[in-house]
Coordinates of all heavy atoms in Angstrom, one line a residue:
Chain R
D288 N -7.0 -22.7 7.4 CA -7.3 -21.9 6.3 C -6.3 -22.0 5.2 O -6.5 -21.7 4.0 CB -7.4 -20.4 6.7 CG -8.1 -19.6 5.6 OD1 -9.3 -19.8 5.5 OD2 -7.4 -18.9 4.9
G289 N -5.1 -22.6 5.5 CA -4.0 -22.4 4.5 C -3.8 -23.5 3.6 O -4.2 -24.6 3.7
I290 N -3.1 -23.2 2.5 CA -2.6 -24.2 1.6 C -1.6 -25.0 2.4 O -1.5 -26.2 2.2 CB -1.9 -23.5 0.4 CG1 -3.0 -22.7 -0.3 CG2 -1.4 -24.6 -0.5 CD1 -2.3 -21.8 -1.4
G291 N -0.8 -24.3 3.1 CA 0.3 -24.9 3.8 C -0.1 -25.8 4.9 O 0.7 -26.7 5.3
E292 N -1.2 -25.6 5.5 CA -1.6 -26.4 6.7 C -2.9 -27.1 6.4 O -3.0 -28.0 5.6 CB -1.8 -25.5 7.9 CG -0.5 -24.9 8.3 CD -0.8 -23.7 9.3 OE1 -2.0 -23.5 9.6 OE2 0.1 -23.0 9.6
D293 N -3.9 -26.6 7.0 CA -5.2 -27.3 6.9 C -6.1 -26.8 5.8 O -7.3 -27.0 5.8 CB -5.9 -27.4 8.2 CG -5.2 -28.3 9.2 OD1 -4.6 -29.3 8.7 OD2 -5.2 -28.0 10.3
G294 N -5.7 -25.9 5.1 CA -6.3 -25.5 3.9 C -7.5 -24.6 3.9 O -7.7 -23.8 4.8
D295 N -8.3 -24.7 2.9 CA -9.3 -23.7 2.6 C -10.3 -24.2 1.6 O -10.7 -25.2 1.7 CB -8.5 -22.5 1.9 CG -7.9 -23.1 0.6 OD1 -7.0 -23.9 0.7 OD2 -8.4 -22.7 -0.4
S296 N -10.5 -23.4 0.6 CA -11.1 -23.7 -0.7 C -12.6 -23.5 -0.8 O -13.0 -22.8 -1.7 CB -10.8 -25.1 -1.1 OG -11.4 -25.5 -2.2
G297 N -13.4 -23.9 0.1 CA -14.9 -23.7 0.1 C -15.5 -23.0 -1.1 O -15.6 -23.6 -2.2
E298 N -15.8 -21.8 -0.9 CA -16.5 -21.0 -2.0 C -15.7 -20.9 -3.2 O -16.2 -20.7 -4.3 CB -16.8 -19.6 -1.4 CG -17.3 -18.6 -2.4 CD -18.8 -18.7 -2.7 OE1 -19.5 -19.5 -2.0 OE2 -19.2 -18.2 -3.7
A299 N -14.4 -21.1 -3.0 CA -13.5 -21.1 -4.1 C -14.0 -21.9 -5.3 O -14.0 -21.5 -6.4 CB -12.2 -21.7 -3.7
K300 N -14.4 -23.1 -5.0 CA -14.9 -23.9 -6.0 C -16.3 -24.5 -5.6 O -16.4 -25.7 -5.3 CB -13.9 -25.1 -6.3 CG -12.5 -24.6 -6.6 CD -11.6 -25.8 -6.5 CE -10.2 -25.3 -6.2 NZ -9.3 -26.4 -6.0
P301 N -17.3 -23.6 -5.5 CA -18.5 -24.1 -5.0 C -19.2 -25.0 -6.1 O -18.9 -24.9 -7.2 CB -19.3 -22.9 -4.8 CG -18.7 -21.9 -5.7 CD -17.3 -22.2 -5.9
S302 N -20.0 -25.9 -5.6 CA -20.7 -26.7 -6.6 C -21.6 -25.9 -7.4 O -22.4 -25.1 -6.9 CB -21.4 -27.9 -5.9 OG -22.4 -27.3 -5.1

Side-chain angles (χ1 to χ4, degrees):
Chain R
D288 199 71
I290 298 169
E292 295 162 5
D293 290 326
D295 62 292
S296 177
E298 170 77 13
K300 304 167 203 173
S302 62

